[in-house]
Amino acid sequence: MRRQTVAIVGLGSIGGIAAVCLAAAGRHDIVACVRRPLDRLTLERGEETTEVTLRALTDPAAATPVDWVLLCTKTHATASTAPWLKRLCGPATKVAVLQNGIDQVASVAPLAGGATVFPVIVYTNAERLGPDRVRFNAVGNDDYVVADDAAGRAFAELFAGTPLRVRLSEDFKTLLWRKLLMNVAANPISALTLQRQSVFRRPDVHALCMDVLAEAVAVGRAEGAKLAPDEAQRIMTQLLGYSPDLGTSMYFDRLAGRPLETAIPGAIVAAGERHGIATPIIRALLTLLKAVSDAAGKS
Ligand SMILES: NC(=O)c1ccc[n+]([C@@H]2O[C@H](COP(=O)([O-])OP(=O)(O)OC[C@H]3O[C@@H](n4cnc5c(N)ncnc54)[C@H](OP(=O)(O)O)[C@@H]3O)[C@@H](O)[C@H]2O)c1
């Protein structure tokens, strides 16, 4: 692959890890598109620390079309990146959306000037330790999963030579839904109860999670995800395998008074409506999360 220009929009936990790993590998030119000036970024990974210098832009007017955009904001910030995408994207640009959810292409493509837009499932566990410092906790066998198509293969090639492990999947939709199932089981309840994973050990909360998952699995199947007969139980088993002290991203966002990624339950409610499948429990969680999220920062 020839040297590519890669713009990273959203230099938080996930964008920060991608930026440091690509910059340290030195195969491509990295541009950080940020809201506050930044000239270096440090990554902690196990006992290792990697520091890189970055070319950062704070004004979208200074941006020019690039080969790649990695869009790494939270889902509710996508619309606010429109000025960046307008300047960075042309028909030859590829936009990889590193966000949770299932509606990445629908929300980003209208802002991306004819670029190729595709989702990336992110399995990495990442933590932002400060404006210029991130921690990368590798979990499982993959950091990113993409569809096994031309854009996915190009994305895998982009990260060659970095520690980030990219897997190509021939059944990307099913994996996207599995990730969404885990998110919808864990995030809303931990954020609403303001409790870490230990809350899922309560029998009543466990039962609530199973009801949430039953609704979500029915919608996922209607959308074409090939979910196992015991999918809900498998997700619950995985969830209970995590340390009780771990928090979820929505829990940390609520603790910090930030808006919440309501698009996670919102995508399931909307898909349920498309298929005539009722999702009363997820809808109730969504209403409560929206109320909390809208109040964030106002108190
Ligand atoms: N963290 C994880 O372990 C993890 C794992 C899997 C998936 N995910 C998903 O990955 C996505 C990103 O999550 P994250 O944890 O990396 O979020 P994050 O740490 O909150 O970072 C988001 C970044 O986006 C920036 N941003 C927001 N609006 C912007 C704009 N208009 N222009 C430029 N930058 C903008 C924010 O900038 P400021 O610094 O200025 O606020 C922040 O640095 C989410 O969908 C999340 O659910 C996260």
Side-chain angles (χ1 to χ4, degrees):
M1 183 184 258
R2 69 171 172 81
R3 199 168 180 86
Q4 310 263 290
T5 305
V6 185
I8 301 181
V9 180
L11 219 76
S13 318
I14 296 302
I17 289 173
V20 175
C21 291
L22 286 169
R27 292 175 64 225
H28 304 297
D29 298 317
I30 312 305
V31 184
C33 300
V34 290
R35 298 195 281 198
R36 281 181 291 271
L38 176 92
D39 57 6
R40 60 189 56 242
L41 194 57
T42 301
L43 175 71
E44 291 184 11
R45 180 167 164 259
E47 299 301 304
E48 269 177 49
T49 298
T50 308
E51 183 180 298
V52 296
T53 53
L54 284 175
R55 178 177 162 237
L57 302 178
T58 51
D59 181 0
T64 52
V66 292
D67 299 303
W68 283 89
V69 175
L70 307 185
L71 182 61
C72 306
T73 64
K74 290 268 169 60
T75 49
H76 46 257
T78 297
S80 74
T81 66
W84 286 113
L85 295 176
K86 190 168 182 216
R87 299 284 302 183
L88 293 166
C89 292
T93 306
K94 293 185 187 64
V95 181
V97 187
L98 283 73
Q99 292 178 336
N100 277 326
I102 50 171
D103 294 328
Q104 297 91 342
V105 175
S107 60
V108 177
L111 312 175
T116 302
V117 179
F118 63 98
V120 177
I121 306 174
V122 179
Y123 289 113
T124 306
N125 178 273
E127 201 179 331
R128 197 173 184 197
L129 303 173
D132 57 0
R133 202 171 188 93
V134 285
R135 192 192 332 265
F136 167 25
N137 306 309
V139 286
N141 298 321
D142 310 306
D143 296 304
Y144 302 140
V145 175
V146 283
D148 188 2
D149 56 18
R153 287 190 285 275
F155 181 84
E157 173 59 18
L158 187 72
F159 280 89
T162 76
L164 292 164
R165 303 154 302 171
V166 184
R167 178 156 65 95
L168 302 171
S169 169
E170 285 175 6
D171 190 6
F172 184 75
K173 179 177 271 187
T174 298
L175 296 186
L176 202 61
W177 268 90
R178 286 213 170 104
K179 183 81 201 291
L180 187 65
L181 293 178
M182 174 57 79
N183 281 327
V184 80
N187 275 290
I189 292 171
S190 65
L192 290 170
T193 60
L194 270 177
Q195 293 183 51
R196 295 175 183 245
Q197 299 277 347
S198 55
V199 75
F200 303 115
R201 268 89 174 157
R202 286 176 59 105
D204 50 359
V205 173
H206 185 132
L208 176 59
C209 285
M210 289 300 288
D211 290 343
V212 166
L213 284 166
E215 289 183 1
V217 165
V219 177
R221 287 203 182 108
E223 286 275 288
K226 297 188 190 82
L227 301 171
D230 61 345
E231 192 74 42
Q233 190 53 57
R234 288 185 194 195
I235 299 282
M236 241 7 249
T237 304
Q238 193 183 338
L239 190 56
L240 292 171
Y242 297 137
S243 159
D245 303 327
L246 280 182
T248 67
S249 64
M250 209 179 267
Y251 163 86
F252 288 120
D253 282 341
R254 184 168 181 208
L255 267 189
R258 292 188 290 256
L260 308 178
E261 279 194 302
T262 55
I264 290 171
I268 297 171
V269 170
E273 279 170 7
R274 285 198 293 276
H275 295 284
I277 298 173
T279 53
I281 301 172
I282 301 177
R283 189 183 287 276
L285 294 175
L286 175 62
T287 301
L288 295 172
L289 290 171
K290 279 184 175 168
V292 170
S293 187
D294 289 350
K298 287 187 188 159
S299 55

